[in-house]
Amino acid sequence: MTTALMAFRGHWDSRAAELRGAPDMLAQFLSTGHARILPVWRGKPQLRSAGPATELGWVSAEADVLKHAPTPYLFLGLHHDVPLFAADISTWEPDALDRSAMAMFLDTTIQHYPGTETGLFFGELRQSMAHLTAPDAALAATARATFNWHRSHGFCASCGQASQVAQAGWERHCPACGAKHFPRTDPVVIMLVTHGNDLLLGRSPGWPEGMYSALAGFVEPGETLENAVRREVHEETGIQTTDIRYVASQPWPFPASLMLGSVARATTRAITLDDELEDARWVTREQVLRAWSGEDTTLIPARKGAIAHHLIAQWLAGKLGAAYI
């Protein structure tokens, strides 16, 4: 069995952080026509259909869609010697929005900006994350998470006054008290809990019927990764764990988390749910395999591209070690 790939873990040539404080250089990039800008509408990057593949829908600095974006744009860095930026065009109001569909667990709607070329559209990143190249997925995730932070941090946390974008989108400065604020990432533990041939999976309220995934929760202040795993599993299901081991991480821009993937072995089996989960249950290796092959449609596996999918694939392939089999 092949290992499932995780989205958003890729990288591009350089974030070129040394240029963030050089506004004249960044302005020159934009004025020469060499730069490419990624429009992002309410968290959705502009995408391009390219046959069976999906690409990011970059535009030039003269594109009409950018009239909806405040400046300065977010400077993402350099890739193949091309300066890359992202622009938040969330003030644009498309015609005939299906707001009920957009509010569902997974927004499957797409939006087209008037006058753009055929094949360009704004789409939910979770829908496209497994189809983008590694650099494209990482760039889109970075833009989405950073714009989310700006949207919710417009005022200084020290004095309450309105703050201003600085350092090409990578800081906010308060003109009143001089405080500087930086984009935040929330650490989240996500853990695969095993017991012999069984796997512990849970589902949150509002998920599609039959969808189950690995347990997860935010790391609290003063807490190690291992202690967060123990606490979250016990709080959500009443199960005790041991042999906790880190496996891999994944940036998750929904809205701005770093998923810290671990595996743990259960020492108890009785499940006692708290109010965070709608359900949790033990499933056998054979049940998971049937779900992944499509034979069992009552159990929807974790989404491809997500770290939960990767962890389960590692378990199914016997790559997590003898302690977790």
Side-chain angles (χ1 to χ4, degrees):
M1 175 179 294
T2 57
T3 299
L5 298 177
M6 285 183 281
F8 312 135
R9 279 170 50 91
H11 60 88
W12 55 101
D13 289 350
S14 173
R15 293 192 175 221
E18 69 279 4
L19 297 179
R20 295 173 184 172
D24 292 343
M25 178 68 75
L26 299 181
Q28 184 178 347
F29 287 155
L30 293 165
S31 65
T32 59
H34 187 47
R36 289 294 175 264
I37 302 97
L38 177 67
V40 179
W41 179 77
R42 301 179 190 177
K44 295 182 175 183
Q46 181 164 265
L47 303 169
R48 182 191 305 274
S49 297
T54 302
E55 302 172 349
L56 294 183
W58 301 97
V59 299
S60 66
E62 295 76 32
D64 184 66
V65 68
L66 298 179
K67 70 183 182 183
H68 300 280
T71 54
Y73 303 142
L74 172 66
F75 178 57
L76 295 169
L78 305 172
H79 192 55
H80 300 323
D81 295 324
V82 177
L84 300 179
F85 296 80
D88 188 354
I89 65 150
S90 295
T91 58
W92 169 53
E93 191 68 24
D95 295 330
L97 283 178
D98 188 345
R99 299 187 184 278
S100 60
M102 291 174 62
M104 295 180 67
F105 174 77
L106 184 61
D107 177 8
T108 59
T109 67
I110 61 174
Q111 289 74 37
H112 300 271
Y113 188 78
T116 55
E117 62 186 86
T118 302
L120 285 178
F121 64 96
F122 292 94
E124 169 58 48
L125 186 55
R126 276 175 284 199
Q127 286 275 85
S128 60
M129 64 182 184
H131 306 289
L132 294 168
T133 65
D136 272 7
L139 285 159
T142 300
R144 190 188 198 284
T146 307
F147 287 147
N148 279 333
W149 175 76
H150 280 291
R151 195 170 299 116
S152 60
H153 288 75
F155 294 87
C156 177
S158 297
C159 72
Q161 297 299 307
S163 59
Q164 299 172 345
V165 176
Q167 290 291 305
W170 289 96
E171 294 182 20
R172 294 191 73 92
H173 292 177
C174 178
C177 71
K180 296 182 179 182
H181 306 282
F182 305 89
R184 293 291 187 262
T185 297
D186 297 317
V188 175
V189 288
I190 180 166
M191 43 276 177
L192 207 63
V193 180
T194 70
H195 190 273
N197 194 53
D198 295 345
L199 189 65
L200 179 65
L201 298 178
R203 57 175 283 106
S204 294
W207 283 11
E209 187 66 29
M211 183 177 180
Y212 284 77
S213 188
L215 304 186
F218 290 101
V219 180
E220 294 186 345
E223 194 171 43
T224 65
L225 183 154
E226 293 85 358
N227 287 336
V229 168
R230 291 188 187 94
R231 176 184 54 77
E232 282 290 341
V233 173
H234 188 259
E235 284 180 357
E236 293 184 353
T237 65
I239 288 173
Q240 301 285 355
T241 54
T242 189
D243 296 332
I244 298 165
R245 180 170 64 82
Y246 168 79
V247 178
S249 64
Q250 180 187 37
W252 193 247
F254 308 103
S257 299
L258 177 62
M259 309 300 287
L260 303 168
S262 299
V263 63
R265 184 170 59 84
T267 58
T268 60
R269 285 185 63 93
I271 295 174
T272 303
L273 293 177
D274 72 351
D275 57 2
E276 291 187 43
L277 292 181
E278 181 181 283
D279 189 30
R281 60 171 167 159
W282 291 102
V283 295
T284 66
R285 186 183 303 272
E286 291 74 21
Q287 285 176 296
V288 176
L289 284 169
R290 287 196 297 271
W292 279 39
S293 66
E295 296 177 35
D296 183 356
T297 58
T298 64
L299 179 64
I300 300 176
R303 184 182 297 111
K304 289 183 179 179
I307 191 171
H309 194 277
H310 170 81
L311 292 171
I312 294 171
Q314 293 276 297
W315 177 69
L316 289 173
K319 295 182 178 180
L320 295 180
Y324 310 101
I325 297 176

